[in-house]
Amino acid sequence: MGGTSLKELYVVLFEGKVRERESKREVKGRLMDRFDIDTAGVERLFSGQRMVVFRSEDRAKTDDFAKRFADTGALCRIEVDYKEEPETPRCSDCGRAKDSADARCSWCDSRETPRDNQTMDTQWESEDNTSSSDTSTLLPLWQAYAGPRGEWYAEKFKLFSRKGRTTFVPSWNWGAFLFGIVWLIYRKMYGLALLFFGISAAGIVIPGGSLAVSFFFGAFANFLYFLHVKKKVESIIEASAQINPERAMKSRGGVNPIPMVLALFLIMMGVMALFGSYFFDMKDIAPHLQ
């Protein structure tokens, strides 16, 4: 038997639109994380043209892909398309597909499981397969931006960016707990440093307030730093056509050494003052000991 038949094909369409109150920059970042696509690829998605990002004959898989695509904040929709394909010869005994009308049925002869006849967009299927990874593709850039102790911070960043979603996970930072505003300036978070100064000043008035602020900051510092780094790297990626990304990472990222030098200087002055006061106290006491 010859001829052709129409087969249903489900497609996921995207036109570069995002949900209300969502930032396109953040949605782009989530798409890059979840589907492992580069900057050029995500910019192509947001070109304003209607793009087919997924196609399959399986409605359940199409629904699953559309849901995860929409979870990033992108607006997509599913449409049904049809494709013409030749009618497949089938075995008269078991109804399974055969290579040709005259061929023997491999299912009846060998009981091998036939191949699934599903067709799918190859590019997006491969991206879908890697989307369950816990490691963001931007992790190396975040680590490079952090500069000193980048590997240590990268391990924390992994916890906060699992499966393309920003999630708070408890962690601890001794530097932030002990040095507070000095650590913030050292890590170039100047706006938060000003805010922390105001909160710390208010905490002095309340008994135990300063200690509570320090504990809170020690617990949330890594997450706050992750949000800072993520935002800065995204802005560098967006402006990559106008600036040199590597130069921007070095100039904007890393640390500000001035607070650390100042802190060491103050510690040294404190130690010298302590020994100086002890020396002069002993000098006054010595005559009475004779």
Side-chain angles (χ1 to χ4, degrees), residues 16-74:
K17 298 178 181 178
V18 300
R19 285 199 303 260
E20 189 177 355
R21 295 182 181 177
E22 286 279 8
S23 162
K24 275 193 177 182
R25 182 176 65 184
E26 292 183 358
V27 173
K28 286 179 182 179
R30 292 173 198 152
L31 287 169
M32 292 173 71
D33 288 348
R34 178 160 296 193
F35 296 102
D36 194 20
I37 52 180
D38 57 18
T39 306
V42 82
E43 291 300 334
R44 190 162 59 251
L45 285 177
F46 283 83
S47 64
Q49 298 179 352
R50 190 171 74 163
M51 306 283 290
V52 176
V53 293
F54 186 84
R55 58 168 61 88
S56 172
E57 294 174 8
D58 189 320
R59 180 59 192 253
K61 288 188 176 182
T62 306
D63 288 342
D64 178 67
F65 179 90
K67 180 181 181 301
R68 288 184 297 104
F69 193 87
D71 283 345
T72 65

Side-chain angles (χ1 to χ4, degrees), residues 57-124:
E57 294 174 8
D58 189 320
R59 180 59 192 253
K61 288 188 176 182
T62 306
D63 288 342
D64 178 67
F65 179 90
K67 180 181 181 301
R68 288 184 297 104
F69 193 87
D71 283 345
T72 65
L75 290 176
C76 63
R77 68 177 188 275
I78 298 174
E79 288 189 1
V80 181
D81 199 2
Y82 296 91
K83 66 174 183 177
E84 262 188 16
E85 59 178 33
E87 289 186 359
T88 305
R90 296 184 177 277
C91 175
S92 58
D93 293 329
C94 67
R96 298 282 177 173
K98 300 194 299 181
D99 293 335
S100 67
D102 298 330
R104 293 175 64 85
C105 178
S106 59
W107 174 261
C108 293
D109 286 346
S110 64
R111 307 301 296 172
E112 291 178 356
T113 304
R115 286 185 176 182
D116 187 0
N117 195 32
Q118 173 181 289
T119 59
M120 193 171 291
D121 187 299
T122 305
Q123 178 189 358
W124 282 91

Side-chain angles (χ1 to χ4, degrees), residues 207-227:
S210 295
L211 185 60
V213 170
S214 295
F215 270 107
F216 176 85
F217 190 56
F220 281 85
N222 291 328
F223 184 66
L224 292 173
Y225 186 50
F226 166 70
L227 295 178

